[in-house]
Amino acid sequence: MQAQEDNSQNTTLLDVDGMKVLITGSDGFIGKNVQLHLAERKDVQVVCFTRGHDVAKLPALLHGVDFVFHLAGVNRPQDPAEFVSGNVDLTKVLCQAVGTVAAVTGKKIPIVYTSSTQADRDNAYGSSKLYAEHALFALHREHGVPVAVFRLPNVFGKWCKPNYNSAVATFCHNIARGLPIQVNDPAAPVTLVYVDDVVARFLQLMDGAVAMANADGFSTVEPQYSTTVGELVRLIHFFKESRNTLMTERVGTGLVRALYATYVSYLPPELFAYTVAQHADPRGVFVEMLKTPDCGQFSYFTAVPGITRGGHYHHSKTEKFLVIRGQARFKFRHMQTGETHELLTSGDKAEVVETVPGWTHDITNIGTDEMVVMLWANEIFDSQQPDTIAMKVTL
């Protein structure tokens, strides 16, 4: 196959005011995510084809369509014959209809197809995906229709069906609910792609931002994550326990970010919220919210009018205070020179106050209402090595 003509065909789609897109398998895992992303755009009209539709009506749905996401497929049938009807026959009907449009009108409707890494394996599912690929490649050869085939590894993300064919979905669903899981081999390797990365790649193709496919007709999704079943289970258990430990994994990038988002998406509504410990005394309350492996912890505290908190210094620890409500006076004294400093701040302005190593410091509620202060410390409090030495600011 030649990818260049695919790219030029797709690029012309950007010259019109809007696009009409057909999604087969629109009610499936990937289909639902594609639908949601396309619903955010005003320049796209979506036509859906689901398992409940009559296959004979599929050609009629192509009227005015500019792009096809062929996501429909069967992977866990009760009857193995459904592999042929759901993967091969449906794809042949689509190819024949798109080929007819190309022959009659000259319009070549690009097709993105979700195949599987199983396509090169000797099993009924893989064979059906391979035959579907052959039908699409034949369509390209005969009519020049742009085709991109994705042999996707394990796709994970929100809305994947648990206890079906996704270990990640099953682990997230069951662990979130305290249900048992089965792990036969923790060391078993697994390759994953995140559904948002899949959709992003698909939309790049739809928008003509990149060539439809390589010369062989295949396209890929990046990044792909290589891990083990045991590591997936460890991380998901860690996510659940973080509500008790307050310790978070590094959930800002890569696999851990995607896996954490996936885990949270499986929480039932009754678990959307959780309580944390609140330490109260006559001065007010202190609440720890979140701890990180190497970037400290977040908390908040309150103080009633006239109360002073702090009165200590640190050798290395640093903190950031943000008064959310009330009026505060910060006082500092240098432990070597005796130099002092004082500043006033309040919840009326977003002003962060930092504590500096070697300066003893305190904070006083000088207002008439309760003071609420957000606090970040650059390290997790260690009662064995607290780096917090009591010392009054005013001698």
Side-chain angles (χ1 to χ4, degrees):
M1 293 181 65
Q2 298 297 317
Q4 294 301 317
E5 62 190 77
D6 293 356
N7 191 37
S8 61
Q9 170 69 17
N10 200 17
T11 301
T12 61
L13 298 175
L14 299 179
D15 298 332
V16 297
D17 293 333
M19 294 179 61
K20 190 174 183 180
V21 176
L22 170 65
I23 306 175
T24 72
S26 57
D27 59 351
F29 163 43
I30 298 177
K32 290 176 181 177
N33 279 274
V34 171
Q35 276 199 77
L36 183 61
H37 280 267
L38 292 181
E40 298 162 6
R41 297 178 50 157
K42 297 181 179 180
D43 61 336
V44 177
Q45 176 188 352
V46 175
V47 179
C48 294
F49 179 86
T50 70
R51 192 170 297 182
H53 286 93
D54 185 350
V55 176
K57 296 182 179 179
L58 179 58
L61 294 179
L62 285 170
H63 178 70
V65 165
D66 302 299
F67 201 95
V68 175
F69 292 111
H70 183 29
L71 313 180
V74 174
N75 53 23
R76 283 286 186 92
Q78 294 183 345
D79 183 352
E82 293 181 45
F83 281 132
V84 176
S85 60
N87 295 332
V88 183
D89 294 345
L90 176 61
T91 301
K92 287 182 175 179
V93 170
L94 176 65
C95 289
Q96 182 176 6
V98 172
T100 299
V101 172
V104 174
T105 70
K107 183 177 182 180
K108 302 173 183 180
I109 306 172
I111 302 175
V112 164
Y113 176 57
T114 49
S115 186
S116 168
T117 53
Q118 296 283 324
D120 60 359
R121 301 182 185 179
D122 186 18
N123 58 59
Y125 172 64
S127 295
S128 68
K129 284 293 192 179
L130 183 63
Y131 290 139
E133 292 177 2
H134 289 167
L136 288 159
F137 292 152
L139 172 66
H140 173 79
R141 290 192 301 270
E142 295 170 15
H143 297 284
V145 170
V147 170
V149 173
F150 287 80
R151 286 188 172 180
L152 295 172
N154 301 281
V155 185
F156 71 103
K158 63 182 181 297
W159 303 337
C160 188
K161 186 177 180 180
N163 300 303
Y164 185 59
N165 68 336
S166 167
V168 173
T170 301
F171 293 159
C172 288
H173 175 273
N174 287 15
I175 291 174
R177 291 162 174 76
L179 300 174
I181 61 171
Q182 180 176 340
V183 177
N184 297 322
D185 181 7
V190 60
T191 301
L192 302 167
V193 289
Y194 185 44
V195 70
D196 281 6
D197 295 323
V198 173
V199 175
R201 179 63 172 173
F202 286 0
L203 298 193
Q204 281 184 324
L205 300 184
M206 186 192 76
D207 290 331
V210 294
M212 274 288 288
N214 300 323
D216 58 4
F218 292 97
S219 191
T220 58
V221 175
E222 297 294 339
Q224 294 191 9
Y225 302 110
S226 296
T227 185
T228 65
V229 173
E231 177 62 7
L232 288 175
V233 172
R234 184 195 72 80
L235 283 168
I236 297 169
H237 274 301
F238 191 100
F239 297 155
K240 181 178 182 180
E241 288 305 310
S242 68
R243 290 189 168 190
N244 298 319
T245 65
L246 304 185
M247 179 68 72
T248 180
E249 265 285 0
R250 296 173 178 84
V251 295
T253 59
L255 173 61
V256 181
R257 169 184 177 271
L259 188 62
Y260 183 67
T262 302
Y263 168 74
V264 172
S265 76
Y266 285 90
L267 291 173
E270 60 269 23
L271 294 181
F272 282 4
Y274 61 101
T275 58
V276 293
Q278 179 171 281
H279 307 281
D281 60 32
R283 300 174 301 169
V285 301
F286 175 75
V287 176
E288 292 179 308
M289 175 188 174
L290 186 68
K291 301 177 181 181
T292 71
D294 50 18
C295 291
Q297 67 179 61
F298 297 86
S299 57
Y300 81 88
F301 63 85
T302 67
V304 298
I307 286 296
T308 297
R309 284 183 174 271
H312 55 242
Y313 67 89
H314 313 295
H315 289 288
S316 299
K317 181 187 295 186
T318 62
E319 301 159 316
K320 294 179 184 287
F321 293 84
L322 177 64
V323 177
I324 303 298
R325 186 177 68 197
Q327 295 180 307
R329 179 182 66 216
F330 285 87
K331 295 172 66 176
F332 302 84
R333 178 170 59 84
H334 195 284
M335 292 303 298
Q336 271 289 310
T337 66
E339 178 185 354
T340 60
H341 181 66
E342 181 178 308
L343 63 87
L344 304 180
T345 189
S346 72
D348 295 332
K349 58 180 178 179
E351 183 176 36
V352 174
V353 179
E354 291 204 82
T355 62
V356 179
W359 291 72
T360 187
H361 51 272
D362 63 26
I363 176 174
T364 302
N365 181 353
I366 60 173
T368 57
D369 299 318
E370 180 185 56
M371 180 178 67
V372 180
V373 183
M374 179 179 176
L375 168 63
W376 170 82
N378 73 316
E379 59 187 48
I380 295 174
F381 180 76
D382 182 352
S383 60
Q384 300 303 310
Q385 295 180 309
D387 190 12
T388 301
I389 300 90
M391 180 62 63
K392 291 183 178 180
V393 176
T394 303
L395 296 179

